[in-house]
């Protein structure tokens, strides 16, 4: 069970509370503590501002009827067999309302979940900027990876979706292009579903609106120093 007295854990737990990813037991602990713990309430409010603000950067997406049916079934399966007092229902926090999340696109959701599970650990960002980029297909219908970028600690590329098989004789190549740069820089080949870490020295620059993309290339990579195959996933960094 979580311990809201630990400052580092409290910040992480507050973030997951806002996202709704805590277990039923841990959420009950946070609910009880919010009534008397002003510091915890401040953490929750800060994570609301930080995470929900991502939705303003992406166009709304309407989930399919099949997805909402699955959500309804999941909620019904987890619902406790007891009535919730009307007063408690009326005072439920606004961010728990289903309609709040209906307008958030897959980009914002994936970025938020990524930060909750990968970026919630405390860090000293005073030594450099920190950025995140969600790499989506050009038609914005699927998400493949998330880039966690730090000006000192380097880059982490994390798979977050099913990218499907790579055709025989082909490979996925990872590229970046800082804003204003003359052309892209290859960061090497990656395998589907692979997490990689790169030092800052491998990057031409680190900054906001830096383009990252993954293209389909010959099995040994592009031979001309720039992408030759179709772009499968791309995205630009946002400052955290």
């Amino acid at each position: 069970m979580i311990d809201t007295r630990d400052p580092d854990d409290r910040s992480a737990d507050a973030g997951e509370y806002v996202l709704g990813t805590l277990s039923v037991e841990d959420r009950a602990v946070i609910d009880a503590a919010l009534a008397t713990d002003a510091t915890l309430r401040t953490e929750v409010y800060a994570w609301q501002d930080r995470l929900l603000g991502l939705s303003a950067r992406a166009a709304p997406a309407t989930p399919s009827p099949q997805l909402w049916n699955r959500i309804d079934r999941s909620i019904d399966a987890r619902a406790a067999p007891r009535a919730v007092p009307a007063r408690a229902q009326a005072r439920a926090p606004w961010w728990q309302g289903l309609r709040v999340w209906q307008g958030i696109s897959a980009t914002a959701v994936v970025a938020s979940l990524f930060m909750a599970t990968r970026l919630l650990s405390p860090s000293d960002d005073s030594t450099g900027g920190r950025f995140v980029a969600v790499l989506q297909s050009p038609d914005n219908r699927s998400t493949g990876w998330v880039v966690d970028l730090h000006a000192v600690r380097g880059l982490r590329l994390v798979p977050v979706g099913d990218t499907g098989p790579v055709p025989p004789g082909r490979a996925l190549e990872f590229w970046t292009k800082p804003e204003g740069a003359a052309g892209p820089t290859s960061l090497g080949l990656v395998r589907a579903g692979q997490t990689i870490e790169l030092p800052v020295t491998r990057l031409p620059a680190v900054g906001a609106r830096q383009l990252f993309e993954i293209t389909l290339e010959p099995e040994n990579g592009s031979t001309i120093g720039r992408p030759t195959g179709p772009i499968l996933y791309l995205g630009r960094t946002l400052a955290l």
Side-chain angles (χ1 to χ4, degrees):
M1 182 174 289
I2 60 176
D3 182 0
T4 59
R5 295 171 298 179
D6 185 285
D8 294 336
D9 287 346
R10 183 171 56 228
S11 178
D13 296 334
E16 293 199 61
Y17 179 81
V18 172
L19 287 167
T21 57
L22 291 175
S23 67
V24 174
E25 294 78 10
D26 287 346
R27 187 170 189 87
V29 172
I30 297 291
D31 284 333
L34 284 173
T36 57
D37 191 335
T39 302
L40 180 60
R41 288 198 299 270
T42 299
E43 292 278 8
V44 167
Y45 296 152
W47 277 108
Q48 289 175 34
D49 293 340
R50 186 180 185 187
L51 297 181
L52 294 181
L54 289 171
S55 64
R57 299 176 182 266
T62 301
S64 67
Q66 293 80 4
L67 175 58
W68 283 122
N69 288 336
R70 284 187 2 230
I71 292 174
D72 287 339
R73 290 196 299 270
S74 176
I75 293 174
D76 290 341
R78 295 188 181 189
R82 60 183 178 85
V84 178
R87 183 178 179 184
Q89 291 179 344
R91 298 185 63 182
W94 64 268
W95 64 84
Q96 295 180 23
L98 185 60
R99 292 184 182 276
V100 172
W101 298 98
Q102 289 180 353
I104 299 179
S105 73
T107 303
V109 171
V110 170
S112 299
L113 289 173
F114 174 79
M115 284 191 290
T117 57
R118 298 286 185 175
L119 309 182
L120 280 173
S121 56
S123 61
D124 179 9
D125 286 340
S126 62
T127 56
R130 195 170 193 178
F131 308 88
V132 63
V134 179
L135 306 191
Q136 290 187 290
S137 60
D139 59 8
N140 292 326
R141 292 185 178 180
S142 62
T143 300
W145 281 268
V146 172
V147 174
D148 175 19
L149 180 63
H150 193 280
V152 174
R153 291 190 293 275
L155 177 148
R156 181 180 174 90
L157 177 69
V158 180
V160 294
D162 182 8
T163 59
V166 177
R170 307 299 295 274
L172 304 177
E173 190 160 0
F174 186 34
W175 306 83
T176 187
K177 181 180 179 296
E179 190 170 32
T185 298
S186 175
L187 299 178
L189 301 180
V190 298
R191 295 191 301 271
Q194 176 188 24
T195 296
I196 65 170
E197 296 183 2
L198 299 174
V200 173
T201 54
R202 286 284 307 277
L203 304 169
V206 172
R209 294 193 55 76
Q210 183 168 342
L211 178 68
F212 287 92
E213 63 183 31
I214 292 177
T215 62
L216 187 64
E217 302 293 342
E219 60 182 340
N220 294 319
S222 172
T223 60
I224 61 174
R226 63 178 184 273
T228 62
I231 297 174
L232 302 182
Y233 297 92
L234 77 164
R236 291 187 182 272
T237 54
L238 302 173
L240 293 179

PDB file of all heavy atoms in Angstrom, residues 14-49:
ATOM      1  N   ALA A  14       0.229  11.123  -6.486  1.00  0.00           N
ATOM      2  CA  ALA A  14      -0.715  12.176  -6.871  1.00  0.00           C
ATOM      3  C   ALA A  14      -0.915  12.195  -8.376  1.00  0.00           C
ATOM      4  O   ALA A  14      -2.038  12.366  -8.873  1.00  0.00           O
ATOM      5  CB  ALA A  14      -0.218  13.535  -6.380  1.00  0.00           C
ATOM      6  N   GLY A  15       0.170  12.003  -9.129  1.00  0.00           N
ATOM      7  CA  GLY A  15       0.051  11.953 -10.578  1.00  0.00           C
ATOM      8  C   GLY A  15      -0.789  10.791 -11.058  1.00  0.00           C
ATOM      9  O   GLY A  15      -1.647  10.932 -11.935  1.00  0.00           O
ATOM     10  N   GLU A  16      -0.570   9.621 -10.475  1.00  0.00           N
ATOM     11  CA  GLU A  16      -1.353   8.455 -10.871  1.00  0.00           C
ATOM     12  C   GLU A  16      -2.802   8.577 -10.402  1.00  0.00           C
ATOM     13  O   GLU A  16      -3.710   8.045 -11.040  1.00  0.00           O
ATOM     14  CB  GLU A  16      -0.717   7.193 -10.312  1.00  0.00           C
ATOM     15  CG  GLU A  16       0.632   6.882 -10.935  1.00  0.00           C
ATOM     16  CD  GLU A  16       1.046   5.441 -10.725  1.00  0.00           C
ATOM     17  OE1 GLU A  16       0.318   4.543 -11.191  1.00  0.00           O
ATOM     18  OE2 GLU A  16       2.085   5.223 -10.082  1.00  0.00           O
ATOM     19  N   TYR A  17      -3.013   9.289  -9.307  1.00  0.00           N
ATOM     20  CA  TYR A  17      -4.383   9.528  -8.841  1.00  0.00           C
ATOM     21  C   TYR A  17      -5.155  10.350  -9.868  1.00  0.00           C
ATOM     22  O   TYR A  17      -6.318  10.055 -10.196  1.00  0.00           O
ATOM     23  CB  TYR A  17      -4.330  10.265  -7.504  1.00  0.00           C
ATOM     24  CG  TYR A  17      -5.682  10.609  -6.915  1.00  0.00           C
ATOM     25  CD1 TYR A  17      -6.418   9.664  -6.204  1.00  0.00           C
ATOM     26  CD2 TYR A  17      -6.229  11.890  -7.065  1.00  0.00           C
ATOM     27  CE1 TYR A  17      -7.659   9.974  -5.658  1.00  0.00           C
ATOM     28  CE2 TYR A  17      -7.462  12.212  -6.523  1.00  0.00           C
ATOM     29  CZ  TYR A  17      -8.171  11.256  -5.823  1.00  0.00           C
ATOM     30  OH  TYR A  17      -9.397  11.582  -5.292  1.00  0.00           O
ATOM     31  N   VAL A  18      -4.526  11.378 -10.395  1.00  0.00           N
ATOM     32  CA  VAL A  18      -5.175  12.215 -11.406  1.00  0.00           C
ATOM     33  C   VAL A  18      -5.477  11.408 -12.657  1.00  0.00           C
ATOM     34  O   VAL A  18      -6.534  11.564 -13.279  1.00  0.00           O
ATOM     35  CB  VAL A  18      -4.287  13.433 -11.748  1.00  0.00           C
ATOM     36  CG1 VAL A  18      -4.852  14.208 -12.932  1.00  0.00           C
ATOM     37  CG2 VAL A  18      -4.159  14.361 -10.544  1.00  0.00           C
ATOM     38  N   LEU A  19      -4.564  10.512 -13.034  1.00  0.00           N
ATOM     39  CA  LEU A  19      -4.755   9.702 -14.239  1.00  0.00           C
ATOM     40  C   LEU A  19      -5.745   8.565 -14.034  1.00  0.00           C
ATOM     41  O   LEU A  19      -6.269   8.020 -14.993  1.00  0.00           O
ATOM     42  CB  LEU A  19      -3.416   9.107 -14.684  1.00  0.00           C
ATOM     43  CG  LEU A  19      -2.438  10.086 -15.317  1.00  0.00           C
ATOM     44  CD1 LEU A  19      -1.065   9.468 -15.416  1.00  0.00           C
ATOM     45  CD2 LEU A  19      -2.926  10.506 -16.689  1.00  0.00           C
ATOM     46  N   GLY A  20      -5.974   8.180 -12.772  1.00  0.00           N
ATOM     47  CA  GLY A  20      -6.874   7.064 -12.499  1.00  0.00           C
ATOM     48  C   GLY A  20      -6.227   5.716 -12.659  1.00  0.00           C
ATOM     49  O   GLY A  20      -6.906   4.723 -12.928  1.00  0.00           O
ATOM     50  N   THR A  21      -4.893   5.636 -12.489  1.00  0.00           N
ATOM     51  CA  THR A  21      -4.193   4.365 -12.678  1.00  0.00           C
ATOM     52  C   THR A  21      -3.875   3.654 -11.366  1.00  0.00           C
ATOM     53  O   THR A  21      -3.265   2.587 -11.381  1.00  0.00           O
ATOM     54  CB  THR A  21      -2.881   4.584 -13.451  1.00  0.00           C
ATOM     55  OG1 THR A  21      -2.062   5.530 -12.741  1.00  0.00           O
ATOM     56  CG2 THR A  21      -3.155   5.113 -14.854  1.00  0.00           C
ATOM     57  N   LEU A  22      -4.251   4.230 -10.229  1.00  0.00           N
ATOM     58  CA  LEU A  22      -4.031   3.572  -8.942  1.00  0.00           C
ATOM     59  C   LEU A  22      -4.988   2.402  -8.742  1.00  0.00           C
ATOM     60  O   LEU A  22      -6.072   2.378  -9.326  1.00  0.00           O
ATOM     61  CB  LEU A  22      -4.218   4.570  -7.795  1.00  0.00           C
ATOM     62  CG  LEU A  22      -3.176   5.679  -7.631  1.00  0.00           C
ATOM     63  CD1 LEU A  22      -3.604   6.625  -6.517  1.00  0.00           C
ATOM     64  CD2 LEU A  22      -1.799   5.101  -7.350  1.00  0.00           C
ATOM     65  N   SER A  23      -4.598   1.470  -7.896  1.00  0.00           N
ATOM     66  CA  SER A  23      -5.502   0.392  -7.524  1.00  0.00           C
ATOM     67  C   SER A  23      -6.627   0.958  -6.663  1.00  0.00           C
ATOM     68  O   SER A  23      -6.540   2.078  -6.149  1.00  0.00           O
ATOM     69  CB  SER A  23      -4.746  -0.682  -6.742  1.00  0.00           C
ATOM     70  OG  SER A  23      -4.327  -0.163  -5.478  1.00  0.00           O
ATOM     71  N   VAL A  24      -7.685   0.170  -6.496  1.00  0.00           N
ATOM     72  CA  VAL A  24      -8.820   0.609  -5.677  1.00  0.00           C
ATOM     73  C   VAL A  24      -8.361   0.920  -4.258  1.00  0.00           C
ATOM     74  O   VAL A  24      -8.747   1.933  -3.661  1.00  0.00           O
ATOM     75  CB  VAL A  24      -9.922  -0.469  -5.674  1.00  0.00           C
ATOM     76  CG1 VAL A  24     -11.035  -0.084  -4.707  1.00  0.00           C
ATOM     77  CG2 VAL A  24     -10.479  -0.665  -7.080  1.00  0.00           C
ATOM     78  N   GLU A  25      -7.493   0.066  -3.713  1.00  0.00           N
ATOM     79  CA  GLU A  25      -7.024   0.263  -2.341  1.00  0.00           C
ATOM     80  C   GLU A  25      -6.194   1.534  -2.211  1.00  0.00           C
ATOM     81  O   GLU A  25      -6.378   2.323  -1.274  1.00  0.00           O
ATOM     82  CB  GLU A  25      -6.206  -0.951  -1.877  1.00  0.00           C
ATOM     83  CG  GLU A  25      -7.009  -2.238  -1.750  1.00  0.00           C
ATOM     84  CD  GLU A  25      -7.275  -2.901  -3.104  1.00  0.00           C
ATOM     85  OE1 GLU A  25      -6.674  -2.467  -4.117  1.00  0.00           O
ATOM     86  OE2 GLU A  25      -8.082  -3.854  -3.153  1.00  0.00           O
ATOM     87  N   ASP A  26      -5.254   1.742  -3.157  1.00  0.00           N
ATOM     88  CA  ASP A  26      -4.395   2.921  -3.080  1.00  0.00           C
ATOM     89  C   ASP A  26      -5.188   4.202  -3.317  1.00  0.00           C
ATOM     90  O   ASP A  26      -4.918   5.246  -2.704  1.00  0.00           O
ATOM     91  CB  ASP A  26      -3.267   2.812  -4.110  1.00  0.00           C
ATOM     92  CG  ASP A  26      -2.228   1.778  -3.706  1.00  0.00           C
ATOM     93  OD1 ASP A  26      -2.242   1.365  -2.533  1.00  0.00           O
ATOM     94  OD2 ASP A  26      -1.425   1.377  -4.559  1.00  0.00           O
ATOM     95  N   ARG A  27      -6.176   4.140  -4.195  1.00  0.00           N
ATOM     96  CA  ARG A  27      -6.998   5.327  -4.435  1.00  0.00           C
ATOM     97  C   ARG A  27      -7.777   5.701  -3.172  1.00  0.00           C
ATOM     98  O   ARG A  27      -7.963   6.870  -2.864  1.00  0.00           O
ATOM     99  CB  ARG A  27      -7.952   5.082  -5.597  1.00  0.00           C
ATOM    100  CG  ARG A  27      -8.708   6.350  -6.004  1.00  0.00           C
ATOM    101  CD  ARG A  27      -9.476   6.175  -7.292  1.00  0.00           C
ATOM    102  NE  ARG A  27      -9.990   7.462  -7.709  1.00  0.00           N
ATOM    103  CZ  ARG A  27      -9.331   8.342  -8.439  1.00  0.00           C
ATOM    104  NH1 ARG A  27      -8.092   8.064  -8.837  1.00  0.00           N
ATOM    105  NH2 ARG A  27      -9.859   9.503  -8.778  1.00  0.00           N
ATOM    106  N   ALA A  28      -8.236   4.681  -2.433  1.00  0.00           N
ATOM    107  CA  ALA A  28      -8.962   4.948  -1.196  1.00  0.00           C
ATOM    108  C   ALA A  28      -8.059   5.648  -0.180  1.00  0.00           C
ATOM    109  O   ALA A  28      -8.508   6.524   0.570  1.00  0.00           O
ATOM    110  CB  ALA A  28      -9.508   3.647  -0.613  1.00  0.00           C
ATOM    111  N   VAL A  29      -6.764   5.286  -0.165  1.00  0.00           N
ATOM    112  CA  VAL A  29      -5.817   5.937   0.739  1.00  0.00           C
ATOM    113  C   VAL A  29      -5.683   7.416   0.380  1.00  0.00           C
ATOM    114  O   VAL A  29      -5.693   8.291   1.252  1.00  0.00           O
ATOM    115  CB  VAL A  29      -4.441   5.237   0.675  1.00  0.00           C
ATOM    116  CG1 VAL A  29      -3.395   6.038   1.456  1.00  0.00           C
ATOM    117  CG2 VAL A  29      -4.539   3.827   1.221  1.00  0.00           C
ATOM    118  N   ILE A  30      -5.554   7.711  -0.916  1.00  0.00           N
ATOM    119  CA  ILE A  30      -5.432   9.100  -1.353  1.00  0.00           C
ATOM    120  C   ILE A  30      -6.715   9.869  -1.045  1.00  0.00           C
ATOM    121  O   ILE A  30      -6.667  11.004  -0.551  1.00  0.00           O
ATOM    122  CB  ILE A  30      -5.135   9.180  -2.866  1.00  0.00           C
ATOM    123  CG1 ILE A  30      -3.784   8.531  -3.171  1.00  0.00           C
ATOM    124  CG2 ILE A  30      -5.140  10.625  -3.345  1.00  0.00           C
ATOM    125  CD1 ILE A  30      -2.595   9.269  -2.651  1.00  0.00           C
ATOM    126  N   ASP A  31      -7.855   9.272  -1.327  1.00  0.00           N
ATOM    127  CA  ASP A  31      -9.134   9.934  -1.048  1.00  0.00           C
ATOM    128  C   ASP A  31      -9.225  10.335   0.423  1.00  0.00           C
ATOM    129  O   ASP A  31      -9.656  11.449   0.759  1.00  0.00           O
ATOM    130  CB  ASP A  31     -10.305   9.009  -1.408  1.00  0.00           C
ATOM    131  CG  ASP A  31     -10.543   8.936  -2.907  1.00  0.00           C
ATOM    132  OD1 ASP A  31     -10.214   9.915  -3.598  1.00  0.00           O
ATOM    133  OD2 ASP A  31     -11.064   7.918  -3.373  1.00  0.00           O
ATOM    134  N   ALA A  32      -8.829   9.433   1.312  1.00  0.00           N
ATOM    135  CA  ALA A  32      -8.912   9.715   2.740  1.00  0.00           C
ATOM    136  C   ALA A  32      -7.917  10.798   3.151  1.00  0.00           C
ATOM    137  O   ALA A  32      -8.230  11.673   3.971  1.00  0.00           O
ATOM    138  CB  ALA A  32      -8.657   8.436   3.539  1.00  0.00           C
ATOM    139  N   ALA A  33      -6.718  10.767   2.567  1.00  0.00           N
ATOM    140  CA  ALA A  33      -5.685  11.724   2.947  1.00  0.00           C
ATOM    141  C   ALA A  33      -5.965  13.128   2.435  1.00  0.00           C
ATOM    142  O   ALA A  33      -5.557  14.115   3.051  1.00  0.00           O
ATOM    143  CB  ALA A  33      -4.326  11.241   2.433  1.00  0.00           C
ATOM    144  N   LEU A  34      -6.658  13.245   1.306  1.00  0.00           N
ATOM    145  CA  LEU A  34      -6.920  14.565   0.724  1.00  0.00           C
ATOM    146  C   LEU A  34      -7.709  15.473   1.662  1.00  0.00           C
ATOM    147  O   LEU A  34      -7.574  16.699   1.612  1.00  0.00           O
ATOM    148  CB  LEU A  34      -7.664  14.420  -0.604  1.00  0.00           C
ATOM    149  CG  LEU A  34      -6.824  13.969  -1.802  1.00  0.00           C
ATOM    150  CD1 LEU A  34      -7.715  13.697  -3.010  1.00  0.00           C
ATOM    151  CD2 LEU A  34      -5.780  15.025  -2.153  1.00  0.00           C
ATOM    152  N   ALA A  35      -8.509  14.884   2.512  1.00  0.00           N
ATOM    153  CA  ALA A  35      -9.349  15.700   3.401  1.00  0.00           C
ATOM    154  C   ALA A  35      -8.529  16.481   4.416  1.00  0.00           C
ATOM    155  O   ALA A  35      -8.945  17.570   4.850  1.00  0.00           O
ATOM    156  CB  ALA A  35     -10.356  14.796   4.123  1.00  0.00           C
ATOM    157  N   THR A  36      -7.333  15.979   4.780  1.00  0.00           N
ATOM    158  CA  THR A  36      -6.552  16.619   5.840  1.00  0.00           C
ATOM    159  C   THR A  36      -5.139  17.012   5.412  1.00  0.00           C
ATOM    160  O   THR A  36      -4.464  17.754   6.127  1.00  0.00           O
ATOM    161  CB  THR A  36      -6.434  15.673   7.050  1.00  0.00           C
ATOM    162  OG1 THR A  36      -5.844  14.433   6.635  1.00  0.00           O
ATOM    163  CG2 THR A  36      -7.820  15.398   7.642  1.00  0.00           C
ATOM    164  N   ASP A  37      -4.682  16.526   4.267  1.00  0.00           N
ATOM    165  CA  ASP A  37      -3.300  16.754   3.834  1.00  0.00           C
ATOM    166  C   ASP A  37      -3.259  17.834   2.751  1.00  0.00           C
ATOM    167  O   ASP A  37      -3.496  17.568   1.574  1.00  0.00           O
ATOM    168  CB  ASP A  37      -2.699  15.447   3.310  1.00  0.00           C
ATOM    169  CG  ASP A  37      -1.193  15.530   3.084  1.00  0.00           C
ATOM    170  OD1 ASP A  37      -0.690  16.647   2.874  1.00  0.00           O
ATOM    171  OD2 ASP A  37      -0.541  14.468   3.118  1.00  0.00           O
ATOM    172  N   ALA A  38      -2.949  19.070   3.167  1.00  0.00           N
ATOM    173  CA  ALA A  38      -2.920  20.179   2.216  1.00  0.00           C
ATOM    174  C   ALA A  38      -1.798  20.016   1.196  1.00  0.00           C
ATOM    175  O   ALA A  38      -1.939  20.409   0.028  1.00  0.00           O
ATOM    176  CB  ALA A  38      -2.747  21.503   2.966  1.00  0.00           C
ATOM    177  N   THR A  39      -0.673  19.432   1.604  1.00  0.00           N
ATOM    178  CA  THR A  39       0.447  19.227   0.680  1.00  0.00           C
ATOM    179  C   THR A  39       0.065  18.253  -0.422  1.00  0.00           C
ATOM    180  O   THR A  39       0.387  18.461  -1.601  1.00  0.00           O
ATOM    181  CB  THR A  39       1.675  18.694   1.434  1.00  0.00           C
ATOM    182  OG1 THR A  39       2.037  19.619   2.460  1.00  0.00           O
ATOM    183  CG2 THR A  39       2.856  18.519   0.486  1.00  0.00           C
ATOM    184  N   LEU A  40      -0.654  17.203  -0.048  1.00  0.00           N
ATOM    185  CA  LEU A  40      -1.098  16.234  -1.043  1.00  0.00           C
ATOM    186  C   LEU A  40      -2.090  16.875  -2.006  1.00  0.00           C
ATOM    187  O   LEU A  40      -2.036  16.628  -3.216  1.00  0.00           O
ATOM    188  CB  LEU A  40      -1.734  15.026  -0.356  1.00  0.00           C
ATOM    189  CG  LEU A  40      -2.253  13.915  -1.280  1.00  0.00           C
ATOM    190  CD1 LEU A  40      -1.135  13.343  -2.130  1.00  0.00           C
ATOM    191  CD2 LEU A  40      -2.924  12.812  -0.467  1.00  0.00           C
ATOM    192  N   ARG A  41      -2.982  17.702  -1.487  1.00  0.00           N
ATOM    193  CA  ARG A  41      -3.928  18.389  -2.372  1.00  0.00           C
ATOM    194  C   ARG A  41      -3.181  19.267  -3.374  1.00  0.00           C
ATOM    195  O   ARG A  41      -3.543  19.336  -4.558  1.00  0.00           O
ATOM    196  CB  ARG A  41      -4.905  19.230  -1.553  1.00  0.00           C
ATOM    197  CG  ARG A  41      -5.926  18.418  -0.777  1.00  0.00           C
ATOM    198  CD  ARG A  41      -7.121  19.271  -0.357  1.00  0.00           C
ATOM    199  NE  ARG A  41      -6.717  20.367   0.520  1.00  0.00           N
ATOM    200  CZ  ARG A  41      -6.668  20.287   1.845  1.00  0.00           C
ATOM    201  NH1 ARG A  41      -6.966  19.142   2.451  1.00  0.00           N
ATOM    202  NH2 ARG A  41      -6.314  21.329   2.567  1.00  0.00           N
ATOM    203  N   THR A  42      -2.124  19.941  -2.914  1.00  0.00           N
ATOM    204  CA  THR A  42      -1.332  20.779  -3.813  1.00  0.00           C
ATOM    205  C   THR A  42      -0.684  19.946  -4.906  1.00  0.00           C
ATOM    206  O   THR A  42      -0.645  20.354  -6.074  1.00  0.00           O
ATOM    207  CB  THR A  42      -0.245  21.521  -3.012  1.00  0.00           C
ATOM    208  OG1 THR A  42      -0.865  22.360  -2.038  1.00  0.00           O
ATOM    209  CG2 THR A  42       0.624  22.375  -3.932  1.00  0.00           C
ATOM    210  N   GLU A  43      -0.182  18.744  -4.537  1.00  0.00           N
ATOM    211  CA  GLU A  43       0.416  17.854  -5.537  1.00  0.00           C
ATOM    212  C   GLU A  43      -0.621  17.436  -6.576  1.00  0.00           C
ATOM    213  O   GLU A  43      -0.341  17.409  -7.784  1.00  0.00           O
ATOM    214  CB  GLU A  43       0.988  16.613  -4.848  1.00  0.00           C
ATOM    215  CG  GLU A  43       2.185  16.870  -3.955  1.00  0.00           C
ATOM    216  CD  GLU A  43       3.488  16.948  -4.733  1.00  0.00           C
ATOM    217  OE1 GLU A  43       3.443  16.961  -5.983  1.00  0.00           O
ATOM    218  OE2 GLU A  43       4.534  17.010  -4.079  1.00  0.00           O
ATOM    219  N   VAL A  44      -1.817  17.093  -6.114  1.00  0.00           N
ATOM    220  CA  VAL A  44      -2.880  16.674  -7.032  1.00  0.00           C
ATOM    221  C   VAL A  44      -3.226  17.809  -7.986  1.00  0.00           C
ATOM    222  O   VAL A  44      -3.354  17.617  -9.205  1.00  0.00           O
ATOM    223  CB  VAL A  44      -4.115  16.207  -6.247  1.00  0.00           C
ATOM    224  CG1 VAL A  44      -5.326  16.068  -7.178  1.00  0.00           C
ATOM    225  CG2 VAL A  44      -3.838  14.880  -5.558  1.00  0.00           C
ATOM    226  N   TYR A  45      -3.390  19.034  -7.465  1.00  0.00           N
ATOM    227  CA  TYR A  45      -3.718  20.176  -8.317  1.00  0.00           C
ATOM    228  C   TYR A  45      -2.605  20.425  -9.341  1.00  0.00           C
ATOM    229  O   TYR A  45      -2.879  20.743 -10.509  1.00  0.00           O
ATOM    230  CB  TYR A  45      -3.929  21.425  -7.476  1.00  0.00           C
ATOM    231  CG  TYR A  45      -5.096  21.349  -6.521  1.00  0.00           C
ATOM    232  CD1 TYR A  45      -5.103  22.072  -5.325  1.00  0.00           C
ATOM    233  CD2 TYR A  45      -6.196  20.541  -6.792  1.00  0.00           C
ATOM    234  CE1 TYR A  45      -6.170  21.992  -4.443  1.00  0.00           C
ATOM    235  CE2 TYR A  45      -7.268  20.463  -5.916  1.00  0.00           C
ATOM    236  CZ  TYR A  45      -7.244  21.183  -4.736  1.00  0.00           C
ATOM    237  OH  TYR A  45      -8.288  21.107  -3.874  1.00  0.00           O
ATOM    238  N   ALA A  46      -1.349  20.284  -8.911  1.00  0.00           N
ATOM    239  CA  ALA A  46      -0.225  20.509  -9.825  1.00  0.00           C
ATOM    240  C   ALA A  46      -0.223  19.499 -10.960  1.00  0.00           C
ATOM    241  O   ALA A  46       0.035  19.842 -12.120  1.00  0.00           O
ATOM    242  CB  ALA A  46       1.092  20.442  -9.051  1.00  0.00           C
ATOM    243  N   TRP A  47      -0.539  18.226 -10.630  1.00  0.00           N
ATOM    244  CA  TRP A  47      -0.566  17.215 -11.682  1.00  0.00           C
ATOM    245  C   TRP A  47      -1.761  17.395 -12.606  1.00  0.00           C
ATOM    246  O   TRP A  47      -1.678  17.090 -13.798  1.00  0.00           O
ATOM    247  CB  TRP A  47      -0.571  15.807 -11.076  1.00  0.00           C
ATOM    248  CG  TRP A  47       0.816  15.353 -10.715  1.00  0.00           C
ATOM    249  CD1 TRP A  47       1.351  15.220  -9.482  1.00  0.00           C
ATOM    250  CD2 TRP A  47       1.846  15.010 -11.640  1.00  0.00           C
ATOM    251  NE1 TRP A  47       2.649  14.814  -9.564  1.00  0.00           N
ATOM    252  CE2 TRP A  47       2.988  14.662 -10.879  1.00  0.00           C
ATOM    253  CE3 TRP A  47       1.918  14.953 -13.027  1.00  0.00           C
ATOM    254  CZ2 TRP A  47       4.187  14.280 -11.470  1.00  0.00           C
ATOM    255  CZ3 TRP A  47       3.115  14.560 -13.610  1.00  0.00           C
ATOM    256  CH2 TRP A  47       4.227  14.231 -12.838  1.00  0.00           C
ATOM    257  N   GLN A  48      -2.861  17.909 -12.095  1.00  0.00           N
ATOM    258  CA  GLN A  48      -3.987  18.237 -12.981  1.00  0.00           C
ATOM    259  C   GLN A  48      -3.540  19.249 -14.021  1.00  0.00           C
ATOM    260  O   GLN A  48      -3.782  19.084 -15.229  1.00  0.00           O
ATOM    261  CB  GLN A  48      -5.141  18.825 -12.168  1.00  0.00           C
ATOM    262  CG  GLN A  48      -5.884  17.851 -11.283  1.00  0.00           C
ATOM    263  CD  GLN A  48      -6.915  18.584 -10.441  1.00  0.00           C
ATOM    264  OE1 GLN A  48      -7.505  19.562 -10.877  1.00  0.00           O
ATOM    265  NE2 GLN A  48      -7.116  18.116  -9.232  1.00  0.00           N
ATOM    266  N   ASP A  49      -2.893  20.305 -13.562  1.00  0.00           N
ATOM    267  CA  ASP A  49      -2.451  21.354 -14.480  1.00  0.00           C
ATOM    268  C   ASP A  49      -1.433  20.817 -15.472  1.00  0.00           C
ATOM    269  O   ASP A  49      -1.459  21.169 -16.657  1.00  0.00           O
ATOM    270  CB  ASP A  49      -1.832  22.514 -13.694  1.00  0.00           C
ATOM    271  CG  ASP A  49      -2.849  23.255 -12.848  1.00  0.00           C
ATOM    272  OD1 ASP A  49      -4.056  23.138 -13.139  1.00  0.00           O
ATOM    273  OD2 ASP A  49      -2.441  23.945 -11.890  1.00  0.00           O
TER     274      ASP A  49
END
